[in-house]
Amino acid sequence: MISIHNEPQPTDLGDVRVANRAVVLRHVRLHAPCSRADIAARTGLNKATVSSLVAELIEQRLVRETGLTENRVGRPATMLVLDGEPYAALGLQIGADELVAVAIDLGGNRLLTWRRAFAAGAVPPAETLRALAALARRAVGRVTAQGRTVLGLTLGVPGLVDSAGAVPLATALGWRDVPVAAELRAALREPAFAVGVDTVANLAALAELRHGAYAGTADLVHLTGGITVGAGIIAAGRLLRGGRGFAGEIGHVSLDPAGPVCSCGGRGCLTALVGLPAVVRRLLPDAEADGPITDYLPELDRIVALARQDDPTVLSGLADTGRHLGRGVAVLADLLNPEAVVLGDHFATLAPWLLPAARSELAARALAPGAGGCRLDASTLDTAAALGGATAALATVEAGRLPTR
Amino acid sequence: MISIHNEPQPTDLGDVRVANRAVVLRHVRLHAPCSRADIAARTGLNKATVSSLVAELIEQRLVRETGLTENRVGRPATMLVLDGEPYAALGLQIGADELVAVAIDLGGNRLLTWRRAFAAGAVPPAETLRALAALARRAVGRVTAQGRTVLGLTLGVPGLVDSAGAVPLATALGWRDVPVAAELRAALREPAFAVGVDTVANLAALAELRHGAYAGTADLVHLTGGITVGAGIIAAGRLLRGGRGFAGEIGHVSLDPAGPVCSCGGRGCLTALVGLPAVVRRLLPDAEADGPITDYLPELDRIVALARQDDPTVLSGLADTGRHLGRGVAVLADLLNPEAVVLGDHFATLAPWLLPAARSELAARALAPGAGGCRLDASTLDTAAALGGATAALATVEAGRLPTR
């Protein structure tokens, strides 16, 4: 109800132009096809300003005119749509058992989605970063060959990422103090575009905000699964990062001091209860009979097959997992009061069997009536973190800064 | 590292003036005494704009010229300071065993701090709201008699507060579905000023952000104590509210499924482990011998007296309490990565005995090295929520809107 802006910012005319350019771009993205008059009427900008901004955006090929005209009284108006075809960005993601690359154009169209089997937890960090750089170079080559300019690349890492793009700790990978952004830039050999690093959870949350079933929801959490569990938190339309960029680490919050031991050294952490290794161990007690599990995705496929056959042990284990998951989501609901929590990775794969128990537990545990309006659903996005990485790399243009080609 | 603004807003010239007025006010608040030239140089606004805005602010008595001049080469510059003396706002707070009223002027100076013994949990909501209205009317009368205009009033309630100022649930008070803002406005009989309602935790966090030892810290949590426990979360300089305004409910997050039963019906909630009633029961097992406890503050005084005498049972109970508290703070650190968590109410009173164990537990439990830089300290503010309520009521003027007298 009360809104205190901590830091009002002075506005000069250059900033105004950048801000207004962002407003026009956003309006076209959300409401295309639309006319210049529509934009002026709906944004409150005057018509001359809109015309001047649109001219510039057309010249930069960020917006284009369609052949269509608006059906109305008076002079027919030319309709505008987002162009953005000349511009692309890349997202990379270190997943369980795989590396992923996604490229999109400024209009949000997927240009490529590549998955490469790779066990990042089993090799030194430098080897993973070399493999990522090789994957990125091939993807950039493909996109460039189509006549597009790559504006940026963002890598998603399952772990803590600091504001310089270094990873102090990634328990899922066994990484400690790895200068990821610096090493990736070096491995890419002076790329002409910006290289960023963020957590898979943050990037997946950005993908949800822009491309998911709850796109545009101001208070939204994406819960990543896989080897570790993490939350990407959108609060009031922005990613919540905290003081050093380490927010969202729900995976190592202890829900039960008497619970199973976790890879972080704690007990009863959400990761130890519902992370992919914990789920495989709970549901497929035989999986470790031949030694440690190296690939989790085939085991996940086995679980799905058994669940589809109504295997009673697997169904009961999935219901238990759903209850633990619901307790974790209730913590998010109590602290953040999101409008929706969206489940990614193995939670999305197993959603048909996890959601009933998880939703009951959320409703029973959260303090606010009806869990404060929090919906719980599976993500509809494939490779959300990589998609979010590509989305994040387009942020400067969307904020109204013109690209340099 | 990446910042995606979800909703760029169009800027028109009226907005620019309001925004720039807020920038000038803020600069004077933080850097007074300062000259018009200082303001222009430090904010990037041009000198003519600053002069015009300052003239208006002086006329409204929001800023005044001092007799001082700057010691420098050239024409001496007249120095400016915040005036704001003609304007005041009121904050109210429902505390354990008491109602509190605080008034401040626009410069942040306390005009009055009144505490009135009142057991809000033992009477119907309407009686508490009538008592609050009576307290507010007397405080407004006092402030008005000093020649000041009251711009607004905000009440802090220990419970869930929705965006309309209604309270769906306040377990500490036994309230359910109370339209607090509407009833308080009615009891005040058409006040000439804005009336708002928020949680005590949110208001206390605003008070910390403005007036506390960590003032200006962008990522900050205030943890309220008393009958129930709640978090007021400042993220990136703004209060985190969530979709329906119910964020910050750490008090009913279960830390132990085998823990003590809580007033919310759950088990092992942070409130059931470290709320004031739990602490009194743990440390003073005889306190309930003569029937249910009605006043908690005298029991808190007894605990402090025994701790000062190094009573071994009390010291050991306080260390246990500190450990539980540290586990709760670790959840905040993992999810929000604040730069500081500040403890209010009985946690502040008992801080000398709680902090050592709480800090150790925080360091051991939080995933990020060094708890992600999170400091844990006692609040230095008295009646933080009421102070924050008064601060919040000044927000529209601070955002650059001129007061109407």
Side-chain angles (χ1 to χ4, degrees), chain B residues 214-298:
Chain B
Y214 288 94
T217 301
D219 294 276
L220 179 69
V221 176
H222 178 107
L223 198 66
T224 56
I227 307 298
T228 192
V229 178
I233 302 167
I234 306 289
R238 289 163 185 245
L239 208 43
L240 187 152
R241 296 190 170 280
R244 297 193 183 172
F246 300 148
E249 288 299 332
I250 182 89
H252 297 284
V253 164
S254 168
L255 298 179
D256 184 357
V261 172
C262 179
S263 60
C264 74
R267 265 192 179 279
C269 299
L270 189 60
T271 294
L273 294 167
V274 302
L276 184 51
V279 172
V280 168
R281 273 195 293 271
R282 181 180 301 129
L283 273 63
L284 303 174
D286 66 332
E288 285 185 302
D290 306 329
I293 302 163
T294 49
D295 298 335
Y296 284 97
L297 297 181

Side-chain angles (χ1 to χ4, degrees), chain A residues 2-328:
Chain A
I2 298 146
S3 166
I4 289 201
H5 294 230
N6 191 37
E7 299 204 11
Q9 296 297 328
T11 308
D12 67 30
L13 293 178
D15 291 339
V16 169
R17 190 158 183 93
V18 169
N20 287 343
R21 204 185 281 135
V23 168
V24 171
L25 267 178
R26 179 169 190 270
H27 189 87
V28 177
R29 175 161 57 75
L30 296 178
H31 303 289
C34 57
S35 68
R36 289 166 177 82
D38 292 339
I39 300 172
R42 299 277 295 273
T43 63
L45 293 169
N46 74 51
K47 287 187 191 178
T49 303
V50 171
S51 288
S52 155
L53 291 167
V54 166
E56 193 180 46
L57 293 170
I58 288 175
E59 198 203 311
Q60 292 279 334
R61 293 188 59 194
L62 293 167
V63 162
R64 66 183 166 82
E65 294 182 334
T66 67
L68 298 171
T69 53
E70 204 175 18
N71 190 3
R72 61 170 190 178
V73 179
R75 197 155 63 97
T78 309
M79 302 303 273
L80 302 166
V81 294
L82 216 56
D83 186 350
E85 224 181 66
Y87 304 105
L90 201 64
L92 300 174
Q93 166 185 358
I94 305 176
D97 307 352
E98 63 181 1
L99 305 180
V100 182
V102 167
I104 61 172
D105 67 16
L106 196 66
N109 306 299
R110 280 209 196 213
L111 305 176
L112 61 84
T113 302
W114 289 349
R115 318 175 74 130
R116 178 185 159 184
F118 192 92
V123 300
E127 196 172 325
T128 299
L129 292 168
R130 275 197 302 272
L132 283 165
L135 187 66
R137 275 197 304 269
R138 284 214 315 279
V140 169
R142 171 74 64 93
V143 168
T144 308
Q146 293 166 344
R148 293 185 171 90
T149 303
V150 174
L151 295 175
L153 172 163
T154 310
L155 165 66
V157 176
L160 299 172
V161 178
D162 72 17
S163 51
V167 172
L169 182 68
T171 56
L173 305 174
W175 289 10
R176 206 172 262 280
D177 295 321
V178 181
V180 174
E183 291 196 4
L184 183 60
R185 266 183 220 115
L188 283 166
R189 296 181 208 130
E190 300 184 21
F193 48 81
V195 174
V197 181
D198 209 329
T199 71
V200 285
N202 284 348
L203 295 180
L206 288 177
E208 295 295 345
L209 182 63
R210 180 59 61 84
H211 306 285
Y214 288 93
T217 301
D219 293 277
L220 179 69
V221 175
H222 178 107
L223 198 66
T224 57
I227 307 298
T228 192
V229 178
I233 302 167
I234 306 289
R238 289 162 184 244
L239 208 42
L240 187 152
R241 298 191 170 280
R244 296 191 184 174
F246 300 149
E249 288 299 333
I250 182 88
H252 296 284
V253 164
S254 169
L255 298 180
D256 183 358
V261 171
C262 179
S263 60
C264 75
R267 266 189 178 279
C269 299
L270 188 60
T271 294
L273 293 168
V274 302
L276 184 51
V279 172
V280 168
R281 274 195 294 271
R282 181 180 301 130
L283 272 63
L284 304 174
D286 65 332
E288 285 184 303
D290 307 330
I293 303 163
T294 49
D295 297 334
Y296 284 97
L297 296 183
E299 309 295 343
L300 184 58
D301 291 342
R302 269 181 68 203
I303 292 171
V304 170
L306 288 165
R308 286 200 178 126
Q309 293 158 28
D310 292 331
D311 179 286
T313 313
V314 163
L315 289 184
S316 144
L318 284 168
D320 279 349
T321 305
R323 274 187 287 275
H324 291 307
L325 184 62
R327 288 189 58 207

Side-chain angles (χ1 to χ4, degrees), chain B residues 105-241:
Chain B
D105 67 16
L106 196 66
N109 305 299
R110 279 206 196 214
L111 306 175
L112 61 84
T113 302
W114 288 351
R115 318 175 76 131
R116 179 187 158 182
F118 193 92
V123 301
E127 195 171 328
T128 299
L129 292 168
R130 274 197 302 273
L132 283 164
L135 187 66
R137 275 198 303 270
R138 283 214 315 278
V140 168
R142 172 74 65 93
V143 168
T144 309
Q146 293 166 343
R148 293 184 171 92
T149 303
V150 174
L151 296 176
L153 172 164
T154 310
L155 164 66
V157 176
L160 299 172
V161 179
D162 72 17
S163 50
V167 173
L169 182 67
T171 55
L173 305 174
W175 289 9
R176 204 173 265 278
D177 295 320
V178 181
V180 174
E183 292 195 4
L184 184 60
R185 265 183 221 116
L188 283 166
R189 296 181 210 131
E190 300 184 20
F193 47 81
V195 174
V197 181
D198 210 329
T199 71
V200 285
N202 284 348
L203 295 179
L206 288 177
E208 295 295 344
L209 183 63
R210 180 59 61 83
H211 306 286
Y214 288 94
T217 301
D219 294 276
L220 179 69
V221 176
H222 178 107
L223 198 66
T224 56
I227 307 298
T228 192
V229 178
I233 302 167
I234 306 289
R238 289 163 185 245
L239 208 43
L240 187 152
R241 296 190 170 280

